[in-house]
């Protein structure tokens, strides 16, 4: 019984350390020290009685049971303490939120007055800005009066001209119509004279589409009518014979194929050309040129290009079996290649578009392997010095005068690797395959218009 009283006093002390609880040394249990941990819980140090006070088994058993109860009560108190701490934190949070709301309401009340002052100031500033416009508006009123006067004078002048016309007599409509037709004809003739010129500048590119591998060709027919805007697409430089056709540039961009052609032979390189409804390409692993009709779906002609190197013997700087380059311009169909007889330098040949027979050839002094790409404009071959970044048109050769010159016409190699560059006379543009991007370059030509009196 005495031991139970001591334990109860100890429990009361644990619950409330400030409570006055007296435990005499004779009772055996003594509080040695007490303190609080960082969480506010009570920590007590107790001196137990001597062993002979609890020597009997029955008393020892009761003591153990009481200790277990004390431990259970301590755990319950611990749980209660945790809940109390959690609720206390929640109350603190709610208090902070309430204070914040109160501060916001005060701020809104203060801002309402500030905003009124601010808006008033802004309106005043706007009025100050509008004040100088008053004289301008007055000037507009004056100008409006002048315009009204001008209108009245024009009406009077029109009436006078009408009277004069009635006195002279009506113009002959047929005569006016013939004069307009004559003017149109002269304009067309002038435009024909403007088609040819010397390359001065290359601008762009315009990216039309991103598709295919790094190497390929895409083109339109320079001799097609204005309503015929078909596009042909040939991906890769070898091991392929599938040509995809699109009805227009818009269909090409959207990927709406109109037809697919399975050629009888694989092609070599990317330097093909569509001319007057037929595809001209170099047959794989040969110097044979093929003419394939899209409308008939068959080969119309084939001919070996005598002495022409093939299969990466004389390619452009990027390789890719680009030994034989077929192209077209305002004058006709051309082949650009190299031969051993010309020491690997570029040879230009004008071809008969029906038989593929070489009509005339020009031997240049520019090494084919040093050329990045080339294209023909008005019978002049333009050669780039690289297929990579920094490429420019570096060399030109005129078949009209059989002379050459070194040029310096830069262009923007946007995607760093050009594997096809061909001129289209109808569009006055360069079609290019730029590292998996199909792009267009605009060209500026210097024109010399000849009159009938020129010899």
């Amino acid at each position: 019984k005495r031991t139970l009283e001591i334990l109860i006093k100890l429990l009361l002390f644990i619950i409330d350390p400030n409570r006055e609880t007296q435990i005499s040394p004779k009772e055996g249990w003594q509080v040695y020290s007490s303190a609080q941990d960082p969480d506010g819980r009570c920590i007590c140090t107790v001196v137990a009685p001597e062993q002979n006070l609890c020597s009997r088994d029955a008393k020892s058993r009761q003591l153990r049971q009481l200790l277990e109860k004390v431990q259970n009560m301590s755990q319950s108190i611990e749980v209660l303490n945790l809940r109390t701490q959690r609720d206390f934190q929640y109350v603190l949070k709610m208090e902070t939120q309430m204070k914040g709301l109160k501060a916001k309401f005060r701020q809104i009340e203060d801002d309402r007055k500030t905003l009124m002052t601010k808006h008033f100031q802004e309106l005043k500033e706007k009025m100050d800005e509008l004040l100088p416009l008053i004289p301008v508006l007055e000037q507009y009123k004056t100008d409006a009066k002048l315009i009204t006067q001008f209108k009245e004078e024009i009406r009077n002048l029109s009436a006078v001209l009408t009277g004069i016309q009635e006195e002279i007599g009506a113009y002959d409509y047929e005569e006016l119509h013939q004069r307009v037709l004559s003017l149109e004809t002269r304009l067309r003739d002038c435009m024909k004279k403007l088609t040819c010129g010397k390359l001065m500048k290359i601008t762009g590119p315009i990216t039309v589409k991103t598709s295919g591998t790094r190497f390929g060709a895409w083109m339109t027919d320079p001799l097609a009518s204005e309503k015929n805007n078909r596009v042909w697409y040939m991906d890769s430089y070898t091991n392929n014979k599938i040509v995809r056709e699109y009805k227009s540039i818009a269909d090409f961009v959207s990927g709406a194929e109109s037809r697919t052609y399975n050629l009888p032979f694989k092609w070599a390189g990317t330097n093909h050309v569509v001319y007057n409804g037929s595809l001209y390409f170099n047959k794989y692993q040969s110097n044979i040129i093929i003419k394939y009709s899209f409308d008939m779906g068959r080969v119309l002609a084939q001919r070996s290009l005598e002495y022409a190197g093939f299969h990466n013997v004389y390619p452009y700087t990027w390789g890719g079996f680009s030994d034989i380059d077929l192209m077209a311009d305002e004058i006709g169909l051309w082949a650009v290649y190299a031969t051993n007889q010309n020491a690997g330098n570029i040879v230009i040949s004008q071809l008969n578009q029906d038989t593929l027979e070489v009509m005339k050839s020009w031997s240049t002094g520019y090494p084919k392997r040093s050329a990045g790409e080339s294209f023909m404009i008005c019978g002049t071959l333009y050669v780039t010095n690289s297929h990579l970044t920094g490429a420019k048109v570096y060399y030109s050769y005129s078949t009209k005068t059989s002379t050459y010159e070194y040029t310096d016409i830069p262009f923007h190699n946007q995607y760093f690797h050009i594997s096809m560059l061909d001129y289209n006379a109808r569009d006055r543009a360069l079609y290019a395959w730029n590292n998996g991007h199909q792009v267009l370059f605009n060209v500026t030509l210097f024109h010399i218009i000849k009159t009938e009196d020129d010899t």
Side-chain angles (χ1 to χ4, degrees), residues 57 86 96 99 124-125 128 135 164 210 233 237 274 309 328 429:
D57 293 339
R86 182 191 62 192
T96 303
K99 289 180 180 178
K124 186 175 181 302
E125 291 175 357
D128 292 340
I164 294 174
T210 301
Y233 179 87
Y237 65 87
V274 174

Side-chain angles (χ1 to χ4, degrees), residues 290-309:
I290 305 292
K291 177 184 179 181
Y292 179 87
S293 170
F294 286 126
D295 293 335
M296 299 180 184
R298 63 184 180 88
V299 173
L300 297 184
Q302 56 181 310
R303 183 181 293 270
S304 175
L305 195 58
E306 191 175 19
Y307 304 123

Side-chain angles (χ1 to χ4, degrees), residues 134-148:
I134 294 176
V136 178
L137 292 174
E138 293 297 333
Q139 183 63 41
Y140 284 162
K141 290 180 182 179
T142 305
D143 293 342
K145 292 179 182 179
L146 288 174
I147 291 171
T148 303

Side-chain angles (χ1 to χ4, degrees), residues 253-303:
V253 173
S254 65
E257 294 180 21
S258 61
R259 190 171 175 183
T260 300
Y261 302 90
N262 191 354
L263 302 178
F265 311 107
K266 295 178 181 178
W267 64 71
T270 59
N271 307 115
H272 332 294
V273 64
V274 174
Y275 189 69
N276 199 22
S278 294
L279 170 68
Y280 297 82
F281 67 96
N282 176 208
K283 183 180 178 182
Y284 180 59
Q285 288 187 333
S286 74
N287 58 8
I288 296 174
I289 300 173
I290 305 292
K291 177 184 179 181
Y292 179 87
S293 170
F294 286 126
D295 293 335
M296 299 180 184
R298 63 184 180 88
V299 173
L300 297 184
Q302 56 181 310
R303 183 181 293 270

Side-chain angles (χ1 to χ4, degrees), residues 153-172:
E153 291 179 9
I154 290 171
R155 290 193 192 98
N156 296 335
L157 182 60
S158 297
V160 172
L161 290 174
T162 302
I164 294 174
Q165 181 178 349
E166 289 175 353
E167 291 178 5
I168 297 175
Y171 293 110
D172 182 78

Side-chain angles (χ1 to χ4, degrees), residues 331 334 348 350 360-365 376 378-381 395-405:
I331 296 175
W334 305 85
I348 307 169
Q350 187 174 5
K360 189 175 180 180
S361 291
W362 294 260
S363 296
T364 77
M376 295 286 293
C378 300
T380 298
L381 179 72
Y395 175 91
S396 66
Y397 186 95
S398 171
T399 58
K400 183 177 181 180
T401 61
S402 298
T403 58
Y404 72 90
E405 66 175 325

